[in-house]
Amino acid sequence: MIEFQHVFKSYGRSRNILADINFRVEPGEFVFVSGPSGAGKSTLLKLIGGLEPPSRGSVHVNGHRIDKMPGRARPYLRRAVGVILQDMHLLYDRNAIDNVLLPLAVAGLERRVAATRARAAIEKVGLSGKEDLNPIEMSGGEQQRLAIARAIVNRPAILIADEPTANLDEESARKILEVFRDFNRVGVTTLIASHDRALMARYAGRTLRIEAGRFFDSAGAPA
Ligand code: ADP
Ligand code: ADP
C-alpha cells in the first residue's frame, strides 16, 4: 500500500530531515508515526500525500510510484489519500457541510449524490445535527472531526493525519482516535503522526519512530 525505498528528504540545501528511510505498510494497517517535535513526522506524511517530493529514493503509494511524477500524481493522490494536516484548513466562510462538500465539488460529483455522501461522512465522525454550524462555532475536537469528514468523503484508501489530537483534552483525543479506528476497521490504511506517547501506548500497534535522524520500525524490532 505504501513503500519507501532509500528515501532521503532535505529542504533546500539544509541537512537531511529523513535519511535512507525504508519501510512498507500493508493494506489495512494502523500505524503511528512518532518522535519529538521537529523530527520529521510531518515531512514523512507529506511525502506519502505527495505534498512534498523526496530528495532521493522511491515512494510507492497505492500501487503507483509517485516520486517521479510530481504534478501529475496530485489529482490521483487527492482521491487515494485523505490528508488531515496540522492546521486543518477548514473554511470559516461557510458551514460544516459545505466544508465537507468541497472535495466532492472538486471531483465533479453531482450535487444530490454529493450531499448524501457529505451527510454520511458527517454522521460517521459523530457530527450529525451540526451540518449547518460554521466551524468557528465548533469545539476543537468537533473541528478536528469535521476535518476528518472532509478527508474521508472521497473514500480514500489511505488516511494520514498530522497530530490530530494536539490541543485537545483527553476525552476529545480519545474520541478522535476512535473515529480513526472506525475507518481503519472498514479497511482504510491509517497513519497518524503524534508525539503523545501516552495516547499511543493505549492503542497498541505498529509505530514508525523518527528520532535524531534515526528511524525505528516496531514491526521490524521492538521499539
Ligand atoms: P515534525 O512533524 O516531527 O515536528 P517536521 O517534518 O515538521 O517535523 O519538520 C522536520 C524539520 O524540517 C524541522 O527542522 C523543520 O523546521 C524542517 N522543515 C519542515 N518543513 C520545512 C520547509 N517547508 N522548509 C524548510 N524546512 C522545513
Ligand atoms: P497548493 O495549490 O497549495 O499546492 P492544493 O490547491 O492542491 O495545494 O491544495 C489545497 C489545500 O488542500 C492544501 O492546503 C493542501 O495541503 C490540501 N490538500 C492537498 N491534498 C489533499 C488531500 N488529498 N486531502 C486533503 N487535503 C489536501
Side-chain angles (χ1 to χ4, degrees), residues 25 28-32 177 180-181 184 188-192 203-207:
V25 173
E29 275 198 78
F30 188 92
V31 179
F32 281 113
L177 260 296
F180 284 115
R181 283 303 223 191
N184 180 244
V188 180
T189 306
T190 307
L191 285 93
I192 298 176
Y203 295 85
R206 182 174 173 193
T207 301

Side-chain angles (χ1 to χ4, degrees), residues 4-159:
F4 276 47
Q5 286 172 315
H6 304 294
V7 169
F8 291 73
K9 176 65 181 176
S10 59
Y11 291 100
R13 282 186 212 163
S14 75
R15 70 192 165 85
N16 283 320
I17 307 299
L18 303 173
D20 202 13
I21 303 288
N22 298 279
F23 69 90
R24 217 168 118 166
V25 173
E26 304 297 338
E29 275 198 78
F30 188 92
V31 179
F32 281 113
V33 179
S34 78
S37 178
K41 303 182 294 298
S42 302
T43 299
L44 185 79
L45 294 186
K46 284 177 182 168
L47 293 177
I48 297 168
L51 304 171
E52 282 285 344
S55 307
R56 273 167 64 190
S58 71
V59 176
H60 285 81
V61 174
N62 207 16
H64 288 69
R65 181 164 179 181
I66 63 165
D67 55 278
K68 291 285 186 204
M69 39 193 279
R72 277 188 296 141
R74 294 207 62 162
Y76 168 74
L77 283 170
R78 272 190 164 269
R79 271 176 279 123
V81 186
V83 180
I84 300 146
L85 294 177
Q86 225 169 333
D87 37 2
M88 294 176 271
H89 299 292
L90 293 172
L91 300 176
Y92 297 100
D93 64 351
R94 62 198 76 193
N95 65 16
I97 192 149
D98 284 344
N99 269 273
V100 178
L101 276 167
L102 209 62
L104 298 175
V106 172
L109 220 68
E110 192 219 320
R111 260 191 63 183
R112 228 163 41 89
V113 180
T116 306
R117 267 226 223 158
R119 279 179 199 286
I122 283 180
E123 193 199 327
K124 281 188 200 139
V125 300
L127 289 179
S128 289
K130 312 223 167 188
E131 292 85 352
D132 295 331
L133 290 185
N134 187 291
I136 210 92
E137 301 172 272
M138 298 178 144
S139 70
E142 287 173 341
Q143 290 190 35
Q144 189 61 254
R145 280 187 274 152
L146 185 61
I148 298 172
R150 191 188 50 186
I152 57 88
V153 75
N154 267 326
R155 301 180 182 158
I158 300 168
L159 194 51

